[in-house]
Amino acid sequence: MSPAKKNRAAKESVTLEFSDNKLLMALAGGHERNFVHVESRLGVRIDTRGNLVSIEGPLDMRDRAASVLRALYARLEGGGDATTADIDSEIRFANEKASAPVGNSFGSAEIRTATSKRTQARSPAQAAYLDLMRTHPLVFGIGPAGTGKTYLAAAFGAHLLHTRQVERLILSRPAIEAGERLGFLPGDMKEKVDPYLRPLYDALFDVLGERTETLMEKGIIEVAPLAFMRGRTLARAFCILDEAQNVTPAQMKMFLTRLGEDSRMVVTGDPSQSDLPGGRADGLNDALRILDGVEGAAIARFSEKDVVRHALVTRIVAAYNKVDAQKHGP
């Protein structure tokens, strides 16, 4: 292709037509801030005329921008939002799809957690994580903070409750490092352990809202420290073990062997954040090594690029990972 033709191709635009003007206004955002964000992230120019949206820029970038706008419009049609975080998540999907091998699938990005509420994956890694939870009775979600490991596990558990595939949702995590020494804390047992289980409560309330308290009162949802899992067999339940980098090998084996009939488990953790002596996530790392390749078990791995919190969190994780790599050498 001649330079002139290349320049013309670079300046060509693609035009999208959206039938609902109100949704189109929501898609653009106030003062078209959503379009401005897409322009800055993908290096394209977006113009509107009536219900038509034209995108000008390099071929690959304008195709990605078109994919992002179509996906966001579909979210709005389904009653969802088009926030900056939603835009960034769709850009992640578009970028990963563009670089993935032909035919590669990132799985279904959406689950229904209530009659009128849906939870959507915000990265290809999250979509793959959801797919593994759909197809395997035991899934490990491994990666840094902010990648949605615990939140998505809680959301998927709520989805299974909503669709009546399980009867109970059980969430657990080790309290006070790995030893769970609660005796010196003031208050009754609930007051002692609640601060350590708060992240699980937060995830549940965000997904289920006010229904959470009702379901907990009925015993359908149970949030408990890991020590309370001893001696139990958990049937027809979806079980989550959070902060698994802080469990010992014996505790890990104890929890995994609670799996009962028609139950599923998700174990989440970040091996780099262990509070065990020496900072070694022995229980989690041993389980990953021992169960690698075992039928029914799967591992979803997240990296710093999958962080879906504030953009600065991604840069913080990357900076710490760089220092850790320098300490430990090649």
Side-chain angles (χ1 to χ4, degrees), residues 117-169:
K117 187 173 179 64
R118 300 176 181 179
T119 295
Q120 292 181 304
R122 289 190 165 184
S123 72
Q126 286 192 353
Y129 184 40
L130 286 176
D131 262 7
L132 289 178
M133 287 191 283
R134 289 185 179 100
T135 56
H136 292 75
L138 173 61
V139 176
F140 290 87
I142 308 301
T147 51
K149 305 181 300 295
T150 302
Y151 180 86
L152 274 184
F156 189 72
H159 164 73
L160 295 180
L161 281 178
H162 176 67
T163 56
R164 300 185 180 182
Q165 296 181 58
V166 297
E167 297 173 354
R168 289 185 296 164
L169 176 57

Short mmCIF file of all heavy atoms in Angstrom, two decimals, residues 117-169:
data_model
loop_
_atom_site.label_atom_id
_atom_site.label_comp_id
_atom_site.label_asym_id
_atom_site.label_seq_id
_atom_site.Cartn_x
_atom_site.Cartn_y
_atom_site.Cartn_z
N LYS A 117 -30.70 -7.64 39.30
CA LYS A 117 -29.31 -7.22 39.49
C LYS A 117 -28.36 -8.20 38.80
O LYS A 117 -28.51 -9.40 38.92
CB LYS A 117 -28.98 -7.15 40.98
CG LYS A 117 -27.59 -6.56 41.27
CD LYS A 117 -27.39 -6.36 42.75
CE LYS A 117 -26.00 -5.81 43.06
NZ LYS A 117 -25.78 -4.47 42.49
N ARG A 118 -27.39 -7.62 38.11
CA ARG A 118 -26.38 -8.43 37.43
C ARG A 118 -24.99 -7.97 37.86
O ARG A 118 -24.79 -6.81 38.18
CB ARG A 118 -26.51 -8.31 35.91
CG ARG A 118 -27.87 -8.76 35.37
CD ARG A 118 -27.96 -8.52 33.88
NE ARG A 118 -29.26 -8.92 33.34
CZ ARG A 118 -29.60 -8.80 32.07
NH1 ARG A 118 -28.76 -8.29 31.21
NH2 ARG A 118 -30.79 -9.19 31.65
N THR A 119 -24.08 -8.91 37.84
CA THR A 119 -22.67 -8.58 38.10
C THR A 119 -21.88 -8.94 36.86
O THR A 119 -22.04 -10.04 36.32
CB THR A 119 -22.14 -9.37 39.32
OG1 THR A 119 -22.85 -8.95 40.49
CG2 THR A 119 -20.65 -9.11 39.52
N GLN A 120 -21.02 -8.03 36.41
CA GLN A 120 -20.27 -8.24 35.19
C GLN A 120 -18.77 -8.27 35.46
O GLN A 120 -18.27 -7.53 36.31
CB GLN A 120 -20.58 -7.13 34.18
CG GLN A 120 -22.00 -7.19 33.64
CD GLN A 120 -22.27 -6.10 32.63
OE1 GLN A 120 -22.09 -4.94 32.92
NE2 GLN A 120 -22.70 -6.49 31.44
N ALA A 121 -18.08 -9.14 34.76
CA ALA A 121 -16.63 -9.17 34.83
C ALA A 121 -16.07 -7.89 34.24
O ALA A 121 -16.64 -7.31 33.32
CB ALA A 121 -16.10 -10.38 34.07
N ARG A 122 -14.94 -7.44 34.79
CA ARG A 122 -14.33 -6.21 34.31
C ARG A 122 -12.99 -6.44 33.64
O ARG A 122 -12.26 -5.48 33.37
CB ARG A 122 -14.18 -5.22 35.48
CG ARG A 122 -15.51 -4.66 35.93
CD ARG A 122 -15.32 -3.51 36.90
NE ARG A 122 -16.55 -2.75 37.05
CZ ARG A 122 -16.65 -1.64 37.77
NH1 ARG A 122 -15.59 -1.18 38.41
NH2 ARG A 122 -17.80 -1.01 37.87
N SER A 123 -12.67 -7.68 33.37
CA SER A 123 -11.44 -7.99 32.63
C SER A 123 -11.58 -9.39 32.07
O SER A 123 -12.39 -10.19 32.55
CB SER A 123 -10.21 -7.92 33.55
OG SER A 123 -10.18 -9.03 34.44
N PRO A 124 -10.83 -9.73 31.03
CA PRO A 124 -10.85 -11.09 30.50
C PRO A 124 -10.49 -12.12 31.57
O PRO A 124 -11.05 -13.22 31.59
CB PRO A 124 -9.80 -11.04 29.38
CG PRO A 124 -9.82 -9.62 28.93
CD PRO A 124 -10.02 -8.82 30.18
N ALA A 125 -9.57 -11.77 32.48
CA ALA A 125 -9.20 -12.71 33.54
C ALA A 125 -10.38 -12.97 34.46
O ALA A 125 -10.60 -14.11 34.90
CB ALA A 125 -8.02 -12.16 34.34
N GLN A 126 -11.17 -11.95 34.76
CA GLN A 126 -12.36 -12.14 35.58
C GLN A 126 -13.40 -13.01 34.86
O GLN A 126 -14.04 -13.86 35.47
CB GLN A 126 -12.97 -10.79 35.95
CG GLN A 126 -12.20 -10.03 37.00
CD GLN A 126 -12.98 -8.85 37.54
OE1 GLN A 126 -14.07 -8.51 37.04
NE2 GLN A 126 -12.45 -8.20 38.56
N ALA A 127 -13.57 -12.78 33.56
CA ALA A 127 -14.52 -13.59 32.79
C ALA A 127 -14.09 -15.06 32.79
O ALA A 127 -14.92 -15.96 32.93
CB ALA A 127 -14.62 -13.07 31.37
N ALA A 128 -12.78 -15.32 32.64
CA ALA A 128 -12.28 -16.68 32.66
C ALA A 128 -12.47 -17.30 34.05
O ALA A 128 -12.79 -18.49 34.18
CB ALA A 128 -10.80 -16.70 32.29
N TYR A 129 -12.29 -16.50 35.08
CA TYR A 129 -12.51 -16.94 36.47
C TYR A 129 -13.96 -17.38 36.66
O TYR A 129 -14.23 -18.44 37.25
CB TYR A 129 -12.17 -15.76 37.37
CG TYR A 129 -12.23 -15.96 38.86
CD1 TYR A 129 -11.77 -17.11 39.49
CD2 TYR A 129 -12.69 -14.92 39.68
CE1 TYR A 129 -11.79 -17.24 40.87
CE2 TYR A 129 -12.71 -15.04 41.06
CZ TYR A 129 -12.26 -16.20 41.65
OH TYR A 129 -12.28 -16.31 43.02
N LEU A 130 -14.91 -16.60 36.16
CA LEU A 130 -16.32 -16.97 36.25
C LEU A 130 -16.57 -18.29 35.53
O LEU A 130 -17.32 -19.14 36.01
CB LEU A 130 -17.20 -15.87 35.65
CG LEU A 130 -17.36 -14.59 36.48
CD1 LEU A 130 -18.19 -13.57 35.69
CD2 LEU A 130 -18.03 -14.89 37.81
N ASP A 131 -15.97 -18.45 34.36
CA ASP A 131 -16.15 -19.70 33.62
C ASP A 131 -15.63 -20.90 34.38
O ASP A 131 -16.25 -21.97 34.38
CB ASP A 131 -15.45 -19.60 32.25
CG ASP A 131 -16.43 -19.22 31.15
OD1 ASP A 131 -17.59 -18.91 31.48
OD2 ASP A 131 -16.05 -19.24 29.98
N LEU A 132 -14.48 -20.74 35.04
CA LEU A 132 -13.93 -21.84 35.83
C LEU A 132 -14.86 -22.17 37.00
O LEU A 132 -15.05 -23.36 37.32
CB LEU A 132 -12.54 -21.49 36.35
CG LEU A 132 -11.42 -21.44 35.32
CD1 LEU A 132 -10.10 -21.03 35.97
CD2 LEU A 132 -11.25 -22.80 34.62
N MET A 133 -15.44 -21.18 37.63
CA MET A 133 -16.37 -21.44 38.72
C MET A 133 -17.63 -22.14 38.23
O MET A 133 -18.24 -22.91 38.95
CB MET A 133 -16.72 -20.14 39.45
CG MET A 133 -15.58 -19.61 40.31
SD MET A 133 -16.07 -18.25 41.42
CE MET A 133 -16.14 -16.88 40.26
N ARG A 134 -18.00 -21.86 36.99
CA ARG A 134 -19.17 -22.55 36.42
C ARG A 134 -18.89 -24.03 36.16
O ARG A 134 -19.80 -24.86 36.23
CB ARG A 134 -19.57 -21.89 35.09
CG ARG A 134 -20.19 -20.52 35.21
CD ARG A 134 -20.66 -20.05 33.84
NE ARG A 134 -21.29 -18.74 33.90
CZ ARG A 134 -20.69 -17.59 33.59
NH1 ARG A 134 -19.43 -17.61 33.18
NH2 ARG A 134 -21.34 -16.45 33.68
N THR A 135 -17.64 -24.37 35.84
CA THR A 135 -17.34 -25.70 35.32
C THR A 135 -16.54 -26.60 36.26
O THR A 135 -16.37 -27.77 35.97
CB THR A 135 -16.58 -25.59 34.00
OG1 THR A 135 -15.38 -24.80 34.20
CG2 THR A 135 -17.44 -24.91 32.93
N HIS A 136 -16.04 -26.05 37.39
CA HIS A 136 -15.22 -26.85 38.29
C HIS A 136 -15.72 -26.75 39.73
O HIS A 136 -16.07 -25.65 40.18
CB HIS A 136 -13.75 -26.39 38.25
CG HIS A 136 -13.07 -26.68 36.95
ND1 HIS A 136 -13.32 -25.95 35.81
CD2 HIS A 136 -12.13 -27.61 36.61
CE1 HIS A 136 -12.58 -26.43 34.81
NE2 HIS A 136 -11.86 -27.43 35.28
N PRO A 137 -15.73 -27.84 40.46
CA PRO A 137 -16.18 -27.79 41.86
C PRO A 137 -15.18 -27.13 42.80
O PRO A 137 -15.55 -26.69 43.88
CB PRO A 137 -16.39 -29.27 42.22
CG PRO A 137 -15.55 -30.03 41.26
CD PRO A 137 -15.53 -29.24 40.00
N LEU A 138 -13.91 -27.04 42.40
CA LEU A 138 -12.90 -26.38 43.22
C LEU A 138 -12.07 -25.45 42.35
O LEU A 138 -11.46 -25.88 41.37
CB LEU A 138 -11.99 -27.41 43.89
CG LEU A 138 -10.78 -26.86 44.66
CD1 LEU A 138 -11.23 -25.96 45.80
CD2 LEU A 138 -9.91 -28.00 45.18
N VAL A 139 -12.05 -24.17 42.72
CA VAL A 139 -11.31 -23.17 41.96
C VAL A 139 -10.46 -22.35 42.91
O VAL A 139 -10.93 -21.90 43.97
CB VAL A 139 -12.25 -22.23 41.18
CG1 VAL A 139 -11.46 -21.14 40.47
CG2 VAL A 139 -13.07 -23.03 40.16
N PHE A 140 -9.21 -22.14 42.54
CA PHE A 140 -8.31 -21.25 43.27
C PHE A 140 -8.22 -19.94 42.48
O PHE A 140 -7.92 -19.95 41.28
CB PHE A 140 -6.92 -21.86 43.40
CG PHE A 140 -6.85 -23.05 44.32
CD1 PHE A 140 -7.11 -24.33 43.85
CD2 PHE A 140 -6.52 -22.89 45.66
CE1 PHE A 140 -7.06 -25.42 44.69
CE2 PHE A 140 -6.45 -23.98 46.51
CZ PHE A 140 -6.72 -25.25 46.04
N GLY A 141 -8.46 -18.81 43.16
CA GLY A 141 -8.28 -17.50 42.56
C GLY A 141 -7.05 -16.86 43.16
O GLY A 141 -7.06 -16.47 44.33
N ILE A 142 -5.97 -16.76 42.37
CA ILE A 142 -4.67 -16.34 42.88
C ILE A 142 -4.25 -15.04 42.21
O ILE A 142 -4.25 -14.93 40.98
CB ILE A 142 -3.61 -17.42 42.62
CG1 ILE A 142 -4.08 -18.78 43.14
CG2 ILE A 142 -2.28 -17.04 43.26
CD1 ILE A 142 -4.40 -18.81 44.60
N GLY A 143 -3.85 -14.05 43.03
CA GLY A 143 -3.37 -12.80 42.44
C GLY A 143 -3.39 -11.67 43.42
O GLY A 143 -3.80 -11.82 44.58
N PRO A 144 -2.95 -10.49 43.00
CA PRO A 144 -2.81 -9.34 43.90
C PRO A 144 -4.15 -8.76 44.32
O PRO A 144 -5.21 -9.07 43.77
CB PRO A 144 -2.01 -8.34 43.06
CG PRO A 144 -2.33 -8.68 41.65
CD PRO A 144 -2.48 -10.18 41.62
N ALA A 145 -4.08 -7.88 45.32
CA ALA A 145 -5.27 -7.20 45.80
C ALA A 145 -5.88 -6.35 44.69
O ALA A 145 -5.18 -5.83 43.82
CB ALA A 145 -4.90 -6.30 46.99
N GLY A 146 -7.21 -6.23 44.73
CA GLY A 146 -7.88 -5.35 43.79
C GLY A 146 -8.27 -5.99 42.48
O GLY A 146 -8.76 -5.30 41.59
N THR A 147 -8.06 -7.29 42.34
CA THR A 147 -8.40 -7.96 41.08
C THR A 147 -9.81 -8.56 41.08
O THR A 147 -10.23 -9.14 40.08
CB THR A 147 -7.37 -9.05 40.75
OG1 THR A 147 -7.19 -9.90 41.88
CG2 THR A 147 -6.02 -8.43 40.39
N GLY A 148 -10.52 -8.44 42.20
CA GLY A 148 -11.91 -8.90 42.25
C GLY A 148 -12.07 -10.37 42.59
O GLY A 148 -13.15 -10.93 42.38
N LYS A 149 -11.04 -11.01 43.12
CA LYS A 149 -11.11 -12.44 43.41
C LYS A 149 -12.25 -12.77 44.39
O LYS A 149 -13.09 -13.63 44.12
CB LYS A 149 -9.79 -12.94 44.01
CG LYS A 149 -8.56 -12.65 43.19
CD LYS A 149 -7.31 -13.20 43.83
CE LYS A 149 -7.02 -12.65 45.22
NZ LYS A 149 -6.73 -11.18 45.20
N THR A 150 -12.26 -12.07 45.52
CA THR A 150 -13.26 -12.35 46.55
C THR A 150 -14.63 -11.85 46.14
O THR A 150 -15.64 -12.54 46.32
CB THR A 150 -12.84 -11.71 47.89
OG1 THR A 150 -11.55 -12.21 48.25
CG2 THR A 150 -13.84 -12.03 48.98
N TYR A 151 -14.67 -10.65 45.58
CA TYR A 151 -15.95 -10.06 45.20
C TYR A 151 -16.68 -10.95 44.18
O TYR A 151 -17.87 -11.23 44.32
CB TYR A 151 -15.73 -8.67 44.61
CG TYR A 151 -17.02 -7.99 44.19
CD1 TYR A 151 -17.77 -7.27 45.09
CD2 TYR A 151 -17.48 -8.10 42.87
CE1 TYR A 151 -18.95 -6.66 44.71
CE2 TYR A 151 -18.66 -7.50 42.49
CZ TYR A 151 -19.40 -6.78 43.41
OH TYR A 151 -20.57 -6.20 43.02
N LEU A 152 -15.97 -11.40 43.15
CA LEU A 152 -16.60 -12.24 42.13
C LEU A 152 -17.01 -13.59 42.69
O LEU A 152 -18.03 -14.15 42.28
CB LEU A 152 -15.67 -12.43 40.93
CG LEU A 152 -15.70 -11.34 39.85
CD1 LEU A 152 -14.80 -11.73 38.70
CD2 LEU A 152 -17.12 -11.11 39.35
N ALA A 153 -16.22 -14.13 43.61
CA ALA A 153 -16.60 -15.40 44.23
C ALA A 153 -17.89 -15.24 45.01
O ALA A 153 -18.80 -16.07 44.92
CB ALA A 153 -15.48 -15.90 45.14
N ALA A 154 -18.01 -14.14 45.77
CA ALA A 154 -19.24 -13.87 46.51
C ALA A 154 -20.41 -13.66 45.56
O ALA A 154 -21.53 -14.14 45.80
CB ALA A 154 -19.05 -12.66 47.42
N ALA A 155 -20.16 -12.94 44.47
CA ALA A 155 -21.22 -12.70 43.48
C ALA A 155 -21.66 -14.00 42.83
O ALA A 155 -22.85 -14.21 42.61
CB ALA A 155 -20.72 -11.72 42.42
N PHE A 156 -20.69 -14.88 42.54
CA PHE A 156 -21.07 -16.15 41.93
C PHE A 156 -21.86 -17.02 42.91
O PHE A 156 -22.80 -17.70 42.52
CB PHE A 156 -19.83 -16.91 41.44
CG PHE A 156 -20.14 -18.12 40.60
CD1 PHE A 156 -20.62 -17.97 39.32
CD2 PHE A 156 -19.99 -19.40 41.11
CE1 PHE A 156 -20.94 -19.08 38.54
CE2 PHE A 156 -20.30 -20.51 40.35
CZ PHE A 156 -20.78 -20.35 39.05
N GLY A 157 -21.47 -16.97 44.18
CA GLY A 157 -22.24 -17.69 45.19
C GLY A 157 -23.66 -17.17 45.27
O GLY A 157 -24.62 -17.95 45.37
N ALA A 158 -23.82 -15.83 45.20
CA ALA A 158 -25.16 -15.25 45.20
C ALA A 158 -25.94 -15.68 43.96
O ALA A 158 -27.15 -15.93 44.02
CB ALA A 158 -25.06 -13.73 45.26
N HIS A 159 -25.24 -15.80 42.84
CA HIS A 159 -25.87 -16.27 41.60
C HIS A 159 -26.38 -17.70 41.76
O HIS A 159 -27.51 -18.02 41.35
CB HIS A 159 -24.85 -16.20 40.46
CG HIS A 159 -25.21 -16.98 39.24
ND1 HIS A 159 -26.19 -16.58 38.36
CD2 HIS A 159 -24.73 -18.17 38.77
CE1 HIS A 159 -26.30 -17.47 37.38
NE2 HIS A 159 -25.43 -18.43 37.60
N LEU A 160 -25.58 -18.56 42.39
CA LEU A 160 -26.00 -19.95 42.60
C LEU A 160 -27.19 -20.03 43.55
O LEU A 160 -28.08 -20.87 43.36
CB LEU A 160 -24.83 -20.77 43.15
CG LEU A 160 -23.63 -20.96 42.22
CD1 LEU A 160 -22.57 -21.81 42.91
CD2 LEU A 160 -24.04 -21.60 40.90
N LEU A 161 -27.22 -19.15 44.56
CA LEU A 161 -28.39 -19.10 45.44
C LEU A 161 -29.62 -18.63 44.67
O LEU A 161 -30.70 -19.21 44.80
CB LEU A 161 -28.13 -18.14 46.61
CG LEU A 161 -27.29 -18.63 47.78
CD1 LEU A 161 -27.11 -17.50 48.79
CD2 LEU A 161 -27.92 -19.84 48.45
N HIS A 162 -29.45 -17.60 43.87
CA HIS A 162 -30.57 -17.04 43.12
C HIS A 162 -31.16 -18.06 42.15
O HIS A 162 -32.38 -18.12 41.97
CB HIS A 162 -30.10 -15.80 42.36
CG HIS A 162 -31.14 -15.19 41.47
ND1 HIS A 162 -32.28 -14.59 41.96
CD2 HIS A 162 -31.22 -15.10 40.12
CE1 HIS A 162 -33.01 -14.15 40.96
NE2 HIS A 162 -32.40 -14.44 39.83
N THR A 163 -30.30 -18.84 41.54
CA THR A 163 -30.77 -19.84 40.58
C THR A 163 -31.03 -21.20 41.23
O THR A 163 -31.27 -22.19 40.55
CB THR A 163 -29.73 -20.01 39.45
OG1 THR A 163 -28.45 -20.35 40.02
CG2 THR A 163 -29.60 -18.73 38.64
N ARG A 164 -30.93 -21.25 42.56
CA ARG A 164 -31.24 -22.45 43.37
C ARG A 164 -30.38 -23.65 43.03
O ARG A 164 -30.83 -24.79 43.10
CB ARG A 164 -32.72 -22.79 43.25
CG ARG A 164 -33.63 -21.66 43.73
CD ARG A 164 -35.09 -22.04 43.72
NE ARG A 164 -35.90 -20.94 44.20
CZ ARG A 164 -37.24 -20.99 44.34
NH1 ARG A 164 -37.90 -22.10 44.03
NH2 ARG A 164 -37.89 -19.93 44.78
N GLN A 165 -29.14 -23.36 42.65
CA GLN A 165 -28.21 -24.47 42.40
C GLN A 165 -27.53 -24.93 43.68
O GLN A 165 -26.97 -26.02 43.72
CB GLN A 165 -27.16 -24.03 41.37
CG GLN A 165 -27.75 -23.70 40.01
CD GLN A 165 -26.68 -23.30 39.01
OE1 GLN A 165 -25.74 -24.04 38.73
NE2 GLN A 165 -26.81 -22.10 38.45
N VAL A 166 -27.54 -24.07 44.70
CA VAL A 166 -27.06 -24.45 46.03
C VAL A 166 -28.07 -23.93 47.05
O VAL A 166 -28.92 -23.08 46.74
CB VAL A 166 -25.66 -23.87 46.34
CG1 VAL A 166 -24.61 -24.43 45.40
CG2 VAL A 166 -25.67 -22.35 46.33
N GLU A 167 -27.98 -24.46 48.27
CA GLU A 167 -28.91 -24.08 49.33
C GLU A 167 -28.28 -23.12 50.34
O GLU A 167 -28.99 -22.45 51.08
CB GLU A 167 -29.42 -25.32 50.05
CG GLU A 167 -30.22 -26.25 49.16
CD GLU A 167 -30.58 -27.56 49.84
OE1 GLU A 167 -30.09 -27.78 50.99
OE2 GLU A 167 -31.33 -28.36 49.25
N ARG A 168 -26.95 -23.09 50.38
CA ARG A 168 -26.26 -22.24 51.35
C ARG A 168 -25.01 -21.60 50.75
O ARG A 168 -24.42 -22.15 49.82
CB ARG A 168 -25.84 -23.07 52.58
CG ARG A 168 -26.98 -23.52 53.46
CD ARG A 168 -26.44 -24.22 54.70
NE ARG A 168 -25.72 -25.43 54.36
CZ ARG A 168 -24.90 -26.07 55.19
NH1 ARG A 168 -24.64 -25.57 56.39
NH2 ARG A 168 -24.31 -27.18 54.82
N LEU A 169 -24.66 -20.48 51.30
CA LEU A 169 -23.43 -19.79 50.93
C LEU A 169 -22.60 -19.62 52.20
O LEU A 169 -23.05 -19.01 53.17
CB LEU A 169 -23.75 -18.42 50.32
CG LEU A 169 -22.58 -17.52 49.94
CD1 LEU A 169 -21.64 -18.21 48.98
CD2 LEU A 169 -23.10 -16.21 49.34
#
